[in-house]
Amino acid sequence: MPITVGTLGRLHAVNYRGRDVVFSFKSSELILTSVLPNVVRHTWTPTHWRLYTARMTDSYAVSRDTWPTGPIASISETPETVRVQMGELCIEATRDPFHLRYFAADDRLFLEEVDAGGLSWSYWEYTLRYRLAAEDHFYGMGQANQLVDH
């Protein structure tokens, strides 16, 4: 069992960066990019020097620098939550502790992080945990080819 050294913790801010929505934390950012009306790309980027690692040089993953332009996101905030509407999807986040829930256009909850928080990391691995049903499917998973510019 790995020793966990970090989780996202408390959400400090949420902003637009171009068409992306950026959730900012003490030592990282979670970037949501709308790709299609029902597809959102998630990119987690450590910003703390202890979490940053050098660029991956050898990978069999297909590198992609550009993505289709999906629907424009809208952000609504309360003191406790942030809701991001991206096309047919609504992503709701609690601020402290940060916790994600995903809703379809009919307001049906279809995906949620585990209670302890979905994203955590240790010295040798990253972990992303959601509550899943047998019929759930994901496209992608993993960022082995991600280039992080610092």
Side-chain angles (χ1 to χ4, degrees):
M1 183 75 152
I3 300 170
T4 300
V5 296
T7 60
L8 291 176
R10 187 176 79 76
L11 175 63
H12 289 280
V14 60
N15 295 294
Y16 293 102
R17 184 177 298 153
R19 294 177 63 100
D20 295 340
V21 173
V22 180
F23 291 102
S24 299
F25 305 90
K26 182 177 180 180
S27 59
S28 62
E29 293 179 336
L30 178 62
I31 303 165
L32 304 182
T33 304
S34 179
V35 178
L36 294 170
N38 62 350
V39 176
V40 175
R41 180 174 190 252
H42 293 63
T43 306
W44 177 68
T45 306
T47 55
H48 188 280
W49 68 270
R50 288 183 178 196
L51 300 176
Y52 175 72
T53 58
R55 290 183 177 195
M56 194 67 113
T57 55
D58 295 325
S59 174
Y60 293 105
V62 176
S63 180
R64 185 169 191 164
D65 296 329
T66 59
W67 294 89
T69 302
I72 295 173
S74 64
I75 301 170
S76 58
E77 299 184 64
T78 70
E80 294 82 28
T81 63
V82 174
R83 289 180 66 92
V84 177
Q85 186 71 44
M86 290 185 151
E88 299 170 11
L89 303 176
C90 180
I91 301 157
E92 181 182 83
T94 56
R95 293 180 186 271
D96 192 14
F98 186 74
H99 182 86
L100 289 174
R101 296 171 10 138
Y102 301 78
F103 296 88
D106 60 1
D107 286 332
R108 176 183 49 88
L109 175 67
F110 69 90
L111 184 63
E112 181 175 14
E113 289 182 304
V114 296
D115 289 336
L119 180 63
S120 61
W121 57 89
S122 71
Y123 290 110
W124 50 87
E125 72 181 4
Y126 300 102
T127 304
L128 184 61
R129 298 175 299 159
Y130 286 97
R131 295 179 184 161
L132 300 175
E135 64 274 6
D136 289 337
H137 300 282
F138 284 88
Y139 175 79
M141 302 301 289
Q143 294 176 272
N145 68 325
Q146 181 179 346
L147 300 179
V148 179
D149 293 321
H150 285 274

